Amino acid sequence: MSAWRPLVIAGLAAAGLGLSVVWAVDHPEPLMLQGEVEATRVDLAARVAGRVVRTPVDIGDRVAAGDLVIELDSPALRAGLDTSKAALAVANSNRDLAFSTRQEMIDARRAEREKAEADVLLAQKTYDRVSQLQERSFASEQVLDEASNKLNAALKARAATEANLQLAIKGNSPEQKAVAVAQVEQAAAAVAQIETDLAELTVKVPMAGEVTARTAEIGELFGAGTPLISIVDVDNAWFTFNVREDLLHGLAVGDALKVRVPALGGREIETHVTVINAQGSYANWRATKATGDFDLRTFEVRARPAGPVEGLRPGMSGLIDWSGPRLMDR
């Protein structure tokens, strides 16, 4: 009996080892994937250069969309605005002058035309009289030619005074008026451009969020496009995971994932997959064998919580038991 005891123990040990192997094969250790919390970040800058004169918010402050966060000043722009407004005033005056018709000028031109009309009547009578005398040989041919010449001169003078009268009534030509109008529009556009640049000196946030960085300090001079302050939309954060393509089987947009956040005491957060995008070739998993293997692409999987999560901040880690998505019913 004692001789069989070692054999029995060895058999039981082998059976136990076999059951352990079967259990390990049927119940593999779950794969743990680590991701990171991300959120929309906006770096705000002014489109024009200026000196900081006001900083109403600081790092850590919460802001709402439309709040003023940085105010700059530019004496050069303000001086340019004054110059542009003066040029606009001159252009308006020139336009008014181009369209103006002074009554005094019209009256003077009308008087000149009336005088020319009288000169024509006198020259016509003189010519008719000399013509009759010449027919009866009481006037020479030379006297008749002189009368005819004076009549023609009077007629041309009357035509000239009529043209001057119409010019006084109508004013400048349509082309001159069009130029005057265009000059006003050009000057107005210059004023509007500088006013737009001045508005850029007041930096406002386009979204609600939290101030995470601020390089602007009162008195500092910043160039156009230099980042002044950063805002992060911490209330709408999401998780991003880089997943090898052979692990994506069974995962689709809309699937639910439970993400554990160590920074929140291991709290599990219910999320839903919103994005599955292939990353660039730089993120490929390269094959280790010369033959019989292939490269694997890396995909970005983005999962967004159903709502704001208190304490969740960009940069925190998120952990997923990756056996979950493939076994979860959709």
Side-chain angles (χ1 to χ4, degrees), residues 30-222:
L31 178 64
M32 186 69 67
L33 290 184
Q34 180 176 351
E36 186 176 344
V37 178
E38 296 184 3
T40 301
R41 169 176 171 161
V42 177
D43 297 324
L44 301 178
R47 192 175 56 83
V48 295
R51 191 176 301 278
V52 180
V53 295
R54 187 180 171 205
T55 56
V57 297
D58 202 352
I59 298 175
D61 291 347
R62 297 297 295 261
V63 293
D67 284 355
L68 187 148
V69 290
I70 300 291
E71 186 175 350
L72 308 174
D73 189 28
S74 174
L77 279 179
R78 300 191 185 282
L81 179 62
D82 294 338
T83 302
S84 297
K85 287 183 176 180
L88 176 59
V90 172
N92 282 325
S93 298
N94 289 335
R95 181 197 57 189
D96 295 340
L97 182 61
F99 281 85
S100 65
T101 54
R102 294 183 60 181
Q103 188 60 42
E104 297 87 349
M105 183 67 69
I106 296 174
D107 294 341
R109 295 291 181 263
R110 183 173 286 114
E112 291 175 355
R113 187 193 65 173
E114 292 173 354
K115 179 181 179 300
E117 186 70 31
D119 291 342
V120 168
L121 292 176
L122 178 60
Q124 185 68 52
K125 289 179 180 181
T126 302
Y127 175 79
D128 294 341
R129 189 180 303 115
V130 172
S131 179
Q132 291 175 3
L133 291 174
Q134 199 273 338
E135 289 177 357
R136 289 180 289 181
S137 301
F138 291 126
S140 66
E141 192 73 26
Q142 181 180 356
V143 174
L144 179 61
D145 290 342
E146 291 176 354
S148 176
N149 185 58
K150 289 181 179 180
L151 176 60
N152 290 333
L155 291 172
K156 291 180 179 178
R158 184 182 66 179
T161 56
E162 179 63 27
N164 289 334
L165 175 61
Q166 295 303 319
L167 180 61
I169 294 175
K170 296 180 180 179
N172 292 309
S173 66
E175 292 78 11
Q176 290 174 314
K177 294 178 180 179
V179 170
V181 171
Q183 289 175 340
V184 171
E185 293 175 350
Q186 184 180 33
V191 171
Q193 178 62 60
I194 297 181
E195 288 177 342
T196 301
D197 291 341
L198 285 171
E200 287 288 328
L201 295 174
T202 301
V203 181
K204 298 181 179 180
V205 293
M207 65 179 188
E210 182 177 309
V211 179
T212 58
R214 195 195 74 188
T215 59
E217 296 295 340
I218 294 178
E220 288 187 299
L221 181 64
F222 286 87

Side-chain angles (χ1 to χ4, degrees), residues 8-29:
V8 173
I9 294 175
L12 291 176
L17 178 61
L19 290 175
S20 299
V21 172
V22 172
W23 175 264
V25 172
D26 291 341
H27 300 79
E29 189 71 19

